[in-house]
């Protein structure tokens, strides 16, 4: 079980039906993505805009590119023509910029609200409270270039499973709150993106509908 194809196949067999797999391919060369593509994978996650743009130019056009890294405002324009889902929106400023840029090029872009629930202090994202304050019907109505389709988050980078589970539960609960209020009657608000190589089974058991997995498929990254 050493090739990308075999690891991907084994992983797919483990992930329950209905949970979408984003193959996190950051720092891996285009040939590695090609192998996963040939094994049927169509959704890839990248964390740097130039890398996503150059891979999108090189690889088949039916790939859905997800941006999962911290998005700098000066990189929004370059990203916009290629991206199908931005997982990492965590400020009103970024929402407004993506909206303006999407409308400028005549498209609508799907985004997730990135939540910060983990213990690490340096990570990006809105706290659940900040998200519930920011995301209002008035705000979403003022962003015609954007569809907010869910939330994304990470658990604390710890061994304590109870802590990891509690973090995922906070993400899920925040999603549920938004789904039943601001997004009531908006079935497109449907995505809970959480879980990585080491913790995705816990995320799935806490209600993830989308997992972002890199190392298990592609091996260790060389930065
Ligand atoms: C790199 C990354 C992943 C994938 O992590 P692995 O441990 O390699 O599975 C998932 N989500 C985000 C936001 C990442 O930056």
């Amino acid at each position: 079980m050493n090739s990308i194809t075999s690891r991907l196949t084994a992983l797919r067999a483990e992930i329950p039906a209905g949970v979408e797999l984003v193959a996190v391919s950051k720092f891996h060369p285009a040939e590695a993505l090609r192998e996963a593509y040939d094994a049927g994978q169509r959704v890839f996650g990248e964390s740097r805009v130039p890398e996503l743009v150059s891979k999108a130019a090189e690889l088949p056009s039916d790939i859905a590119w997800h941006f999962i890294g911290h998005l700098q405002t000066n990189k929004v324009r370059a990203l916009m023509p290629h991206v199908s889902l931005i997982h990492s929106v965590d400020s009103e400023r970024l929402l407004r910029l993506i909206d303006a840029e999407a409308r400028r090029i005549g498209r609508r872009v799907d985004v997730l609200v990135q939540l910060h629930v983990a213990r690490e202090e340096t990570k990006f994202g809105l706290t659940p409270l900040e998200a519930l304050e920011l995301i209002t019907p008035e705000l979403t109505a003022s962003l015609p270039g954007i569809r907010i389709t869910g939330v994304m988050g990470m658990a604390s980078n710890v061994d304590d499973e109870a802590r990891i589970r509690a973090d995922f539960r906070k993400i899920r609960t925040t999603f549920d709150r938004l789904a039943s209020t601001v997004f009531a009657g908006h079935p497109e608000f449907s995505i809970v993106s959480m879980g990585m190589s080491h913790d995705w089974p816990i995320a799935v058991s806490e209600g993830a509908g989308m997992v972002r997995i890199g190392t298990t498929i592609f091996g260790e990254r060389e930065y």
Side-chain angles (χ1 to χ4, degrees):
M1 294 298 277
N2 234 339
S3 68
I4 289 169
T5 304
S6 58
R7 289 193 299 247
L8 183 58
T9 306
L11 180 61
R12 287 190 162 290
E14 276 183 70
I15 295 175
V19 174
E20 173 124 51
L21 169 62
V22 179
V24 175
S25 48
K26 61 189 185 193
F27 295 93
H28 292 286
E31 309 86 76
L33 283 73
R34 169 74 67 175
E35 185 176 342
Y37 179 90
D38 289 340
Q41 184 65 29
R42 291 295 180 272
V43 182
F44 292 87
E46 290 284 337
S47 62
R48 297 184 301 180
V49 172
E51 187 176 341
L52 185 155
V53 171
S54 80
K55 285 174 175 170
E58 202 173 329
L59 289 158
S61 59
D62 63 340
I63 288 175
W65 295 99
H66 288 197
F67 188 78
I68 62 169
H70 176 61
L71 182 53
Q72 293 169 275
T73 52
N74 65 351
K75 296 279 170 49
V76 169
R77 180 165 290 192
L79 178 65
M80 210 52 46
H82 308 284
V83 76
S84 88
L85 180 64
I86 302 174
H87 287 233
S88 45
V89 177
D90 65 355
S91 69
E92 179 172 354
R93 178 159 178 252
L94 201 47
L95 281 167
R96 296 215 177 276
L97 195 62
I98 293 167
D99 172 62
E101 198 53 42
R103 286 188 287 120
R104 194 183 69 83
I105 64 166
R107 65 167 296 196
R108 205 163 186 216
V109 175
D110 289 354
V111 307
L112 305 180
V113 176
Q114 183 173 352
L115 299 173
H116 173 90
V117 297
R119 201 172 62 182
E120 291 77 27
E121 281 172 18
T122 55
K123 290 279 165 64
F124 299 102
L126 298 166
T127 66
L129 195 60
E130 288 167 341
L132 294 169
E133 281 171 5
L134 174 64
I135 309 299
T136 61
E138 295 71 35
L139 178 78
T140 58
S142 73
L143 302 167
I146 284 183
R147 268 195 344 163
I148 299 177
T149 55
V151 302
M152 177 273 234
M154 279 177 256
S156 303
N157 189 13
V158 293
D159 290 329
D160 175 8
E161 184 180 325
R163 174 66 209 237
I164 295 170
R165 193 170 285 284
D167 287 349
F168 286 140
R169 194 162 294 177
K170 279 183 207 153
I171 295 167
R172 174 72 208 205
T173 305
T174 307
F175 170 85
D176 289 341
R177 269 286 288 282
L178 288 166
S180 65
T181 56
V182 181
F183 297 102
H186 289 265
E188 77 277 7
F189 188 80
S190 59
I191 300 174
V192 180
S193 166
M194 59 186 192
M196 307 166 40
S197 288
H198 65 286
D199 60 13
W200 72 262
I202 306 172
V204 167
S205 78
E206 292 298 333
M210 183 178 276
V211 292
R212 309 176 309 270
I213 300 179
T215 308
T216 299
I217 301 168
F218 296 106
E220 295 292 336
R221 289 176 286 273
E222 287 177 31
Y223 293 99

